């Protein structure tokens, strides 16, 4: 850890352990907790996605009130690969920030009349085929409301681009679905280990799960079979406390991300890195114009003293 | 009703500079940067990077108030460097670290 703080620039290494469309688990090695924490914050708060922002209800005779219904619609994750190309509705040059054109909004229509089964996210008809409820091709979809005979529901919903800092519905992560921990590793105390005879060593090794330790046939030393594998919850034999030591690797993080379905997990990570970079650059460019006179001032002050 | 608009948290108001810089009048080579509409995300990472710079004697950030959406970064350097230089250097280094991470990632 102290070694890392002295380095001028970190060069972290990735190792992807598991990658499915919505789920990603990776190891980030050679970085500090502060960086990992920042990555997590950017992913939760600042990666844009698309979510329903405005609901116009034409008829609603279901048992749910209008505002309740709007709330349910808002939290349906929409596939947001398009979010990078869309405008925020307030900044859209095409419609002067009104937020209803095809560059900054997607319109959904829903009309249902006492259907067999629930009204689900599959009943939302989109105006842009690449923005869909994330479970549109699932057999069930997300339930919105159940209608009784004679009840009717017609509405129009406008989805816009936004970030999680504005409202949690735009956050691509579900509440606790991104987390990290430092994996543990085992260090063998060689001096103490050498006081054991070969027979004792073999017994000692046999008291642990197979393949964890082995006795090297040539040097007769006890070695760890798979170093750096994360033994964070291994029960320790109390008699062996002095011989081996379990420690946390403070510069390595096992990171798990699971998205709501709005973005692919790997895409989310790449977007987060790009956003952090853009943020940093936005300070640097603005630096230059007051570099000249302010730095000159410092030099003068230096020579006076 | 009195709640401030949520977009005020991340939209820089018109006529306000994203970054402003103020030199400390009492200490040599010390300055405070005010970054508008940023929070712990940027403050923390910038501070940690500044700590790596051997010429930086002090670097810290604060969020003055939860409803004032800005951070203050204070930097004090040795005479070999200047706060402005350290600040830009930290951003450049972080930028290169991110480039490296982006290139090294593959699924
Ligand atoms: Zn528009």
């Amino acid at each position: 850890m102290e070694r890392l703080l002295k380095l001028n620039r970190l060069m972290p290494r990735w190792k992807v352990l598991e990658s499915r469309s919505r789920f990603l688990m990776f190891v980030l090695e050679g970085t500090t907790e502060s960086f990992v924490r920042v990555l997590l914050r950017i992913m939760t708060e600042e990666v844009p996605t698309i979510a329903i922002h405005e609901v116009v209800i034409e008829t609603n005779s279901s048992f749910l009130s209008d505002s309740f219904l709007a709330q349910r619609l808002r939290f349906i994750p929409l596939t947001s690969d398009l979010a990078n190309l869309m405008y925020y509705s307030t900044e859209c040059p095409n419609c002067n920030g009104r937020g209803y054109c095809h560059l900054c909004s997607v319109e959904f229509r829903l009309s249902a009349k006492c259907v067999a089964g629930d009204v689900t996210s599959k009943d939302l008809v989109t105006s842009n085929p690449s923005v869909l409820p994330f479970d549109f091709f699932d057999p069930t979809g997300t339930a919105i409301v159940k209608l009784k005979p004679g009840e009717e529901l017609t509405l129009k919903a406008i989805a816009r681009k936004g970030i999680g800092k504005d409202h949690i519905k735009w956050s691509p992560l579900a509440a606790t679905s991104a987390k990290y921990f430092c994996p543990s590793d085992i260090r063998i105390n060689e001096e103490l280990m050498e006081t054991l005879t070969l027979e004792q060593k073999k017994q000692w090794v046999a008291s642990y799960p197979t393949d964890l330790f082995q006795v090297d046939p040539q040097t007769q030393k006890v070695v760890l079979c798979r170093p750096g594998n994360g033994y964070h919850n291994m029960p320790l034999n109390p008699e062996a406390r002095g011989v081996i030591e379990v420690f946390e690797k403070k510069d390595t993080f096992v990171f798990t991300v699971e998205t709501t379905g709005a973005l692919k997990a790997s895409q989310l990570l790449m977007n987060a890195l790009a956003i952090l970079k853009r943020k940093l650059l936005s300070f640097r460019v603005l630096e230059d114009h007051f570099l000249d006179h302010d730095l000159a001032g410092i030099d003068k002050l230096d020579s006076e003293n | 009703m009195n709640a401030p608009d949520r977009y005020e948290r991340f939209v820089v108001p018109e006529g306000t500079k994203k970054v402003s810089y103020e030199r400390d009048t009492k200490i040599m080579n010390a300055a405070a940067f005010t970054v508008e509409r940023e929070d712990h995300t940027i403050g923390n990472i910038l501070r940690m990077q500044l700590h790596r710079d051997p010429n930086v004697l002090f670097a810290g950030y604060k969020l003055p108030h939860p409803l004032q959406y800005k951070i203050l970064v204070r930097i004090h350097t040795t005479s070999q460097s200047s706060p402005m230089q350290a600040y830009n250097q930290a951003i450049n280094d972080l930028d290169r670290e991110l480039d490296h991470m982006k290139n090294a990632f593959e699924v």
Side-chain angles (χ1 to χ4, degrees):
Chain A
M1 191 63 197
E2 280 73 29
R3 180 184 54 85
L4 280 180
L5 283 178
K6 288 204 183 79
L7 288 175
N8 224 347
R9 193 181 307 142
L10 296 180
M11 287 292 159
R13 286 174 301 283
W14 304 94
K15 204 171 105 193
V16 177
L17 299 180
E18 196 180 340
S19 170
R20 280 175 274 133
S21 73
R22 275 174 59 194
F23 181 84
L24 181 67
M25 190 175 178
F26 59 86
V27 181
L28 196 54
E29 208 182 330
T31 190
T32 54
E33 180 155 13
S34 108
F35 188 86
V36 179
R37 188 88 213 150
V38 165
L39 209 57
L40 190 74
R41 282 179 71 101
I42 297 258
M43 282 202 255
T44 340
E45 296 187 337
E46 317 220 11
V47 176
T49 62
I50 301 168
I52 289 175
H53 191 50
E54 205 179 304
V55 180
V56 182
I57 293 181
E58 282 153 25
T59 41
N60 175 20
S61 52
S62 75
F63 70 96
L64 282 184
S65 67
D66 290 2
S67 54
F68 206 123
L69 208 60
Q71 182 76 351
R72 285 191 70 81
L73 287 168
R74 252 178 244 169
F75 283 100
I76 295 175
L78 307 174
T79 50
S80 307
D81 295 319
L82 206 69
N84 278 342
L85 304 173
M86 260 168 86
Y87 287 103
Y88 289 106
S89 58
T90 48
E91 302 172 349
C92 178
N94 192 34
C95 62
N96 284 327
R98 276 192 293 275
Y100 291 99
C101 75
H102 66 286
L103 289 181
C104 62
S105 71
V106 178
E107 193 183 293
F108 288 92
R109 282 189 175 275
L110 193 158
S111 66
K113 224 178 206 179
C114 181
V115 277
D118 306 349
V119 178
T120 64
S121 57
K122 292 164 80 75
D123 294 316
L124 287 168
V125 182
T126 177
S127 69
N128 185 336
S130 59
V131 180
L132 289 167
F134 79 107
D135 51 3
F136 196 76
F137 298 107
D138 286 5
T140 50
T142 312
I144 297 170
V145 67
K146 246 180 190 154
L147 296 180
K148 275 188 282 186
E151 288 181 346
E152 196 182 342
L153 180 63
T154 324
L155 59 84
K156 189 173 85 174
I158 311 286
R160 301 210 175 98
K161 174 181 170 178
I163 58 174
K165 225 178 185 178
D166 191 346
H167 193 286
I168 193 72
K169 69 184 172 190
W170 279 303
S171 172
L173 295 177
T176 52
S177 55
K179 50 185 178 252
Y180 60 84
F181 65 89
C182 295
S184 326
D185 207 351
I186 295 177
R187 199 184 282 138
I188 300 174
N189 188 331
E190 297 290 350
E191 274 180 33
L192 258 172
M193 190 60 94
E194 283 315 300
T195 59
L196 300 180
T197 64
L198 184 60
E199 196 55 38
Q200 278 173 319
K201 276 181 191 169
K202 276 184 179 154
Q203 268 178 14
W204 187 88
V205 166
S207 74
Y208 280 96
T210 34
D211 294 347
L212 189 54
F213 299 102
Q214 68 178 39
V215 182
D216 194 309
Q218 267 120 47
T219 56
Q220 300 195 345
K221 273 185 177 171
V222 176
V223 288
L224 198 60
C225 292
R226 290 164 298 170
N229 224 349
Y231 305 100
H232 54 284
N233 47 15
M234 193 191 69
L236 262 189
N237 178 0
E239 284 174 26
R241 283 263 159 82
V243 187
I244 58 170
E245 183 195 345
V246 180
F247 63 101
E248 261 191 353
K249 291 190 353 197
K250 289 276 167 107
D251 66 338
T252 308
F253 299 87
V254 178
F255 204 111
T256 324
V257 195
E258 191 180 352
T259 70
T260 55
L263 289 169
K264 276 186 183 154
S266 54
Q267 187 62 43
L268 171 63
L269 187 65
M270 286 294 103
N271 286 2
L273 288 179
I275 284 164
L276 186 53
K277 187 181 159 82
R278 203 185 314 143
K279 259 177 178 302
L280 286 167
L281 292 187
S282 81
F283 310 154
R284 193 177 57 179
V285 173
L286 287 162
E287 249 13 88
D288 295 337
H289 63 267
F290 52 66
L291 247 178
D292 314 324
H293 55 270
D294 267 348
L295 263 188
I298 286 177
D299 288 339
K300 221 172 96 196
L301 201 75
D302 278 343
S303 56
E304 276 168 9
N305 285 279
Chain B
M1 310 247 169
N2 287 326
D5 275 322
R6 280 194 301 257
Y7 68 81
E8 282 185 18
R9 265 193 263 176
F10 48 86
V11 178
V12 182
E14 262 178 65
T16 315
K17 269 196 264 175
K18 178 84 180 166
V19 192
S20 51
Y21 164 77
E22 199 183 337
R23 218 166 55 224
D24 197 305
T25 47
K26 290 176 188 149
I27 309 167
M28 284 289 301
N29 282 318
F33 295 84
T34 308
V35 187
E36 286 290 337
R37 299 311 186 246
E38 291 298 345
D39 58 9
H40 297 287
T41 310
I42 285 300
N44 198 348
I45 200 171
L46 205 57
R47 176 195 63 162
M48 292 307 280
Q49 186 63 40
L50 283 163
H51 286 172
R52 296 177 201 289
D53 190 335
N55 283 323
V56 171
L57 299 174
F58 173 85
Y61 81 97
K62 69 174 174 185
L63 202 71
H65 190 275
L67 291 178
Q68 289 176 14
Y69 308 110
K70 62 182 180 186
I71 52 167
L72 284 170
V73 184
R74 276 189 64 82
I75 305 173
H76 182 194
T77 64
T78 60
S79 54
Q80 262 92 57
S81 179
S82 75
M84 183 68 79
Q85 205 181 326
Y87 176 89
N88 277 331
Q89 184 63 42
I91 290 177
N92 284 346
D93 282 344
L94 275 175
D95 184 33
R96 259 180 245 142
E97 183 180 332
L98 285 174
D99 279 344
H100 164 81
M101 285 180 76
K102 197 162 191 172
N103 294 336
F105 185 81
E106 58 204 55
V107 176

